[in-house]
């Protein structure tokens, strides 16, 4: 699941937690506009993150890494 950190109601962390509870085996990639949003993704247990200005090729790589079982980000793996 690609989850945008910039949801209109501002509760992307809550949405991530609800998805995690209802679909425990699904991978969630947190899409961020600002690096400061990473804390929300970490606290909500997203599997990876991607900064929107990183480019399309980086997003494709992050998705492939995530689907392959690794944590994905454009700068490193998220702790589990």
């Amino acid at each position: 699941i690609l989850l945008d950190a910039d949801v209109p109601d501002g509760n992307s962390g809550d949405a991530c937690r609800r998805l995690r509870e209802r679909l425990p085996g699904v991978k969630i990639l947190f899409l961020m506009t600002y690096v400061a949003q990473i804390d929300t993704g970490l606290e909500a247990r997203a599997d990876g993150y991607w900064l929107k200005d990183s480019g399309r090729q980086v997003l494709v790589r992050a998705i492939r890494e995530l689907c392959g079982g690794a944590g994905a980000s454009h700068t490193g793996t998220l702790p589990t």
Side-chain angles (χ1 to χ4, degrees):
I1 294 176
L2 301 177
L3 180 61
D4 196 328
D6 298 320
V7 295
D9 67 2
N11 288 319
S12 56
D14 290 338
C16 188
R17 280 186 283 280
R18 286 192 308 272
L19 286 165
R20 179 69 58 220
E21 289 171 10
R22 292 180 183 154
L23 304 166
V26 76
K27 300 288 186 181
I28 300 171
L29 185 64
F30 208 65
L31 309 179
M32 304 178 307
T33 303
Y34 309 103
V35 174
Q37 293 170 314
I38 193 170
D39 289 339
T40 302
L42 287 171
E43 291 169 5
R45 299 181 332 192
D47 296 293
Y49 66 94
W50 175 74
L51 283 171
K52 293 177 185 178
D53 65 355
S54 297
R56 198 175 344 172
Q57 291 178 340
V58 178
L59 175 60
V60 170
R61 187 176 69 227
I63 292 169
R64 287 183 177 151
E65 288 175 7
L66 197 59
C67 291
S73 71
H74 84 287
T75 58
T77 303
L78 292 178
T80 54

